Amino acid sequence: MAKFFIRKYNNSDYDAVRLLFAKGMFALVPASAFYFLKRPQVIIFFLVCFIILLFVSKSFLLSLVGLAAMLAVYWYFLKNEFIQYVEKSQREDLLDIEKFYMEMERSCFWVVESNGKVVGMVGVQPAQDSNEEMVLRRLSVAKDHRGQGIAKALCLKAIDFARQHRCRVMSLETAIIQFAAQKLYEHLGFKKVRSVTLPSLFGRLTNFCILFYEYDIKS
């Protein structure tokens, strides 16, 4: 197992952090595609479309080609959801990490370094509507460094930071398809408090939910 250590972010980490975040998001696309293809509403949608194509064309082969084209469009829209999310994130807090995390009061951003490379990251910020709540953001670990306890160590670092600043709650959000993340959060003691379906057409069709978790910080 490779050794790693957690340190505070500095400006020389900027490109590595943005790339790590993007890679982590895009790596979720294939698993998301298979997950949503198993959803009953998605199966029914494609089945109905196939039947309509078969009825209109009177050709099984043409109907299969049409179905394949629809699946390609489905892949495009799914990937586009992730692209838009990454671009939005990189225009917001990840555009100026120093300003949004390191210079802001009661905020911080850490990276994990292993063999001279940034392989993990996480940030925390105070909640906008509460002085007793902190938000865990941008947790990500490089694919080839998962399973080494890095994500857990980052979460504990964030929780300890919130405890030092006398916060009572640590909150976060994650996508419904991030199963490993959900397992980690629940193992650490986070409780799921609600879920929200994405308002986009794709989100409504697939019931793509964002899950919200909270952790009760003990003094």
Side-chain angles (χ1 to χ4, degrees):
M1 182 181 294
K3 293 182 179 180
F4 65 88
F5 67 94
I6 301 173
R7 61 171 172 80
K8 288 185 177 181
Y9 167 89
N10 60 61
N11 284 327
S12 64
D13 303 317
Y14 182 76
D15 291 334
V17 163
R18 286 167 60 89
L19 181 60
L20 178 63
F21 174 75
K23 284 184 174 181
M25 288 295 100
F26 294 141
L28 294 171
V29 176
S32 302
F34 287 113
Y35 172 76
F36 291 119
L37 281 175
K38 295 187 289 185
R39 305 287 291 183
Q41 60 268 41
V42 176
I43 293 173
I44 292 171
F45 173 79
F46 282 112
L47 180 60
V48 169
C49 289
F50 177 78
I51 292 172
I52 292 173
L53 287 171
L54 187 61
F55 178 78
V56 172
S57 67
K58 302 295 192 295
S59 169
F60 188 79
L61 180 59
L62 286 177
S63 300
L64 284 177
V65 171
L67 182 61
M70 293 184 65
L71 288 170
V73 171
Y74 160 78
W75 176 269
Y76 168 80
F77 276 107
L78 175 62
K79 189 173 183 179
N80 191 56
E81 288 281 342
F82 282 87
I83 291 174
Q84 289 186 31
Y85 177 68
V86 169
E87 291 178 345
K88 179 175 180 290
S89 301
Q90 293 186 340
R91 290 193 305 267
E92 297 177 341
D93 60 305
L94 294 181
L95 179 63
D96 193 339
I97 302 167
E98 185 75 23
K99 174 183 175 181
F100 274 85
Y101 291 96
M102 308 311 293
E103 295 178 1
M104 297 290 287
E105 187 179 1
R106 303 173 73 232
S107 300
C108 197
F109 200 97
W110 298 272
V111 298
V112 176
E113 190 173 316
S114 178
N115 296 324
K117 293 177 56 179
V118 172
V119 299
M121 66 185 201
V122 74
V124 292
Q125 291 178 318
Q128 294 182 352
D129 56 353
S130 174
N131 291 326
E132 296 185 331
E133 179 182 342
M134 276 199 178
V135 182
L136 184 147
R137 308 189 68 193
R138 310 306 184 196
L139 176 65
S140 185
V141 176
K143 186 176 181 180
D144 56 347
H145 283 76
R146 293 172 187 171
Q148 299 177 13
I150 294 176
K152 179 179 179 181
L154 285 168
C155 287
L156 294 175
K157 187 76 172 180
I159 291 170
D160 187 58
F161 180 85
R163 182 181 291 112
Q164 291 175 21
H165 286 78
R166 302 181 183 279
C167 289
R168 298 178 59 188
V169 176
M170 172 72 77
S171 63
L172 61 85
E173 59 184 69
T174 188
I176 193 171
I177 44 82
Q178 292 179 276
F179 305 112
Q182 294 169 42
K183 185 177 180 180
L184 169 65
Y185 299 142
E186 291 169 7
H187 175 74
L188 290 174
F190 283 84
K191 305 296 183 184
K192 184 168 65 177
V193 293
R194 62 189 176 99
S195 63
V196 175
T197 302
L198 288 184
S200 64
L201 175 62
F202 179 84
R204 294 193 299 270
L205 177 63
T206 61
N207 195 30
F208 194 126
C209 294
I210 301 299
L211 309 179
F212 294 81
Y213 281 84
E214 288 185 356
Y215 178 87
D216 182 20
I217 300 174
K218 304 296 189 295
S219 60

